[in-house]
């Protein structure tokens, strides 16, 4: 039996498709944990319907919504105002309905990435050395912004299409490099991050020779299916510290949940196990 009332706070996640999203499980866990009269629902929204769906959030009494593929850039263009991270990254993953009905676009991906590193690799310091970021897509934009804001002395963006890396470097910062430069770029790196889909279930593995990396370097992969990618497995075999991708998903949801439901939740082992179980 539903315990929802006329005072239930409602939020959700918009995407197309949306059935793969772990966000309803994640937010549902926190709602139950904090005994909140709230609901968080998947919202399958076709790209052509996205603008209309956004306008409906306030009318339906939603507290807000998360936004995933393919709507993050469209959301950026359609909201009434944006926070600093969204403005810099050029994408919105969290929309908060303000008291006057206007929509504020936020980006919590950068926060989630750094919080995951700090929580799971407390020895890592952003200013300890250059960071090497593989990929130049939307996730890379958030990661590069996060690293520069955290104090990384240099962020090297490596992509098979150099023009995309150059475009990212121009808009957010860092330096652009081709894939064949990678061995030299790793020799003094303090962090290597994969933001590509390589290594994800259904995609080819990411083949990178980690031999040039210093022994103190941290290796991170934002892919979380599988949890231990070939990149992380190879790094562990070399004795390097690693951070998997599930934490970024969990931590980026923390400020969104607080904005929607008024409580700042805890990222726990129990939460991770629940989300991974699906």
């Amino acid at each position: 039996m539903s315990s929802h009332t006329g005072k239930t706070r409602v939020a959700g996640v918009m995407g197309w498709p949306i059935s793969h999203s772990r966000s309803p499980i994640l937010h549902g866990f926190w709602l139950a944990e904090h005994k909140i009269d709230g609901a968080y629902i998947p919202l399958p929204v076709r790209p052509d319907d996205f603008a209309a769906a956004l306008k409906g959030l306030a009318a339906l009494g939603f507290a807000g919504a998360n936004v995933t593929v393919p709507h993050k850039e469209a959301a950026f263009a359609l909201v009434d105002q944006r926070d600093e991270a969204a403005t810099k990254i050029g994408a919105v993953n969290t929309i908060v309905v303000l008291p006057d009905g206007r929509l504020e676009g936020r980006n919590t991906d950068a926060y989630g990435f750094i919080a995951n590193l700090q929580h799971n690799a407390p020895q890592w310091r952003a200013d300890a050395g250059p960071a090497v970021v593989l990929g130049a897509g939307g996730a890379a934009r958030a990661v590069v912004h996060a690293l520069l804001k955290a104090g990384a002395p240099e962020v090297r963006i490596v992509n098979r299409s150099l023009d995309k890396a150059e475009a990212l470097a121009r808009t957010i910062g860092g330096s652009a490099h081709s894939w064949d430069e990678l061995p030299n770029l790793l020799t003094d790196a303090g962090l290597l991050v994969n933001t590509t889909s390589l290594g994800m279930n259904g995609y080819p593995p990411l083949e990178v020779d980690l031999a040039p990396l210093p022994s103190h370097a941290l290796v991170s992969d934002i892919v979380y299916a599988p949890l231990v990618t070939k990149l992380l497995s190879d790094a562990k075999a070399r004795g390097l510290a690693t951070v998997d991708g599930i934490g970024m998903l969990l931590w980026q949801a923390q400020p969104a949940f607080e904005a929607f439901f008024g409580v700042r939740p805890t990222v726990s082992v129990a939460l991770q196990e629940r989300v991974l179980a699906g």
Side-chain angles (χ1 to χ4, degrees), residues 40-67:
Y40 186 98
I41 55 179
L43 300 166
V45 179
R46 295 177 185 272
D48 290 348
D49 297 329
F50 184 66
L54 277 195
K55 289 180 180 178
L57 287 175
L60 290 168
F62 271 64
N66 287 118
V67 178

Side-chain angles (χ1 to χ4, degrees), residues 70-85:
H71 301 315
K72 290 185 178 183
E73 291 183 358
F76 177 85
L78 291 166
V79 293
D80 299 300
Q81 63 188 60
R82 306 160 191 86
D83 72 357
E84 178 194 1

Side-chain angles (χ1 to χ4, degrees), residues 68-149:
T68 188
V69 177
H71 301 315
K72 290 185 178 183
E73 291 183 358
F76 177 85
L78 291 166
V79 293
D80 299 300
Q81 63 188 60
R82 306 160 191 86
D83 72 357
E84 178 194 1
T87 301
K88 191 68 177 176
I89 295 165
V92 161
N93 78 330
T94 302
I95 295 173
V96 178
V97 178
L98 300 175
D100 61 3
R102 291 183 309 129
L103 303 180
E104 180 176 85
R106 304 177 184 178
N107 192 303
T108 65
D109 286 331
Y111 165 82
F113 174 74
I114 291 295
N116 185 35
L117 293 192
Q118 292 174 336
H119 182 76
N120 290 295
Q123 79 283 1
W124 175 78
R125 290 176 52 90
D127 59 2
V132 176
V133 177
L134 305 180
R141 295 176 69 86
V143 168
V144 171
H145 169 68
L147 289 169
L148 290 171
K149 190 172 178 61

Side-chain angles (χ1 to χ4, degrees), residues 36 41 63 65 78 104 116 129 144 156 163 168 204 236 250 266:
I36 292 172
I41 55 179
L78 291 166
E104 180 176 85
N116 185 35
V144 171
R156 300 162 178 171
D163 58 335
L168 196 163
K236 288 179 179 180
L250 305 182
T266 301

Side-chain angles (χ1 to χ4, degrees), residues 132 157-159 162 176-187:
V132 176
I157 306 159
V158 182
N159 198 58
L162 183 59
H177 303 271
S178 61
W179 204 264
D180 57 10
E181 296 178 67
L182 187 55
N184 290 333
L185 298 174
L186 294 178
T187 57

Side-chain angles (χ1 to χ4, degrees), residues 129-277:
V132 176
V133 177
L134 305 180
R141 295 176 69 86
V143 168
V144 171
H145 169 68
L147 289 169
L148 290 171
K149 190 172 178 61
E154 184 183 356
V155 179
R156 300 162 178 171
I157 306 159
V158 182
N159 198 58
R160 296 196 186 278
S161 300
L162 183 59
D163 58 335
K164 290 185 178 180
E166 289 171 339
L168 196 163
R170 279 195 303 271
T171 56
I172 294 185
S175 56
H177 303 271
S178 61
W179 204 264
D180 57 10
E181 296 178 67
L182 187 55
N184 290 333
L185 298 174
L186 294 178
T187 57
D188 61 344
L191 173 69
L192 172 64
V193 186
N194 174 43
T195 71
T196 76
S197 55
L198 293 174
M200 188 185 300
N201 289 337
Y203 288 81
L206 175 63
E207 300 288 355
V208 174
D209 181 6
L210 301 179
L213 272 177
S215 59
H216 67 270
L218 175 66
V219 178
S220 176
D221 200 328
I222 71 166
V223 171
Y224 59 84
L227 194 61
V228 179
T229 60
K230 184 178 186 299
L231 176 67
L232 296 185
S233 179
D234 290 348
K236 288 179 179 180
R238 280 208 60 226
L240 299 171
T242 63
V243 173
D244 61 51
I246 191 65
M248 181 177 174
L249 172 70
L250 305 182
W251 285 99
Q252 64 81 28
Q254 185 189 50
F257 186 91
E258 182 178 23
F260 300 152
F261 301 110
V263 173
R264 192 164 186 86
T266 301
V267 175
S268 63
V269 174
L271 172 68
Q272 177 171 313
E273 290 174 347
R274 177 67 186 91
V275 172
L276 286 173

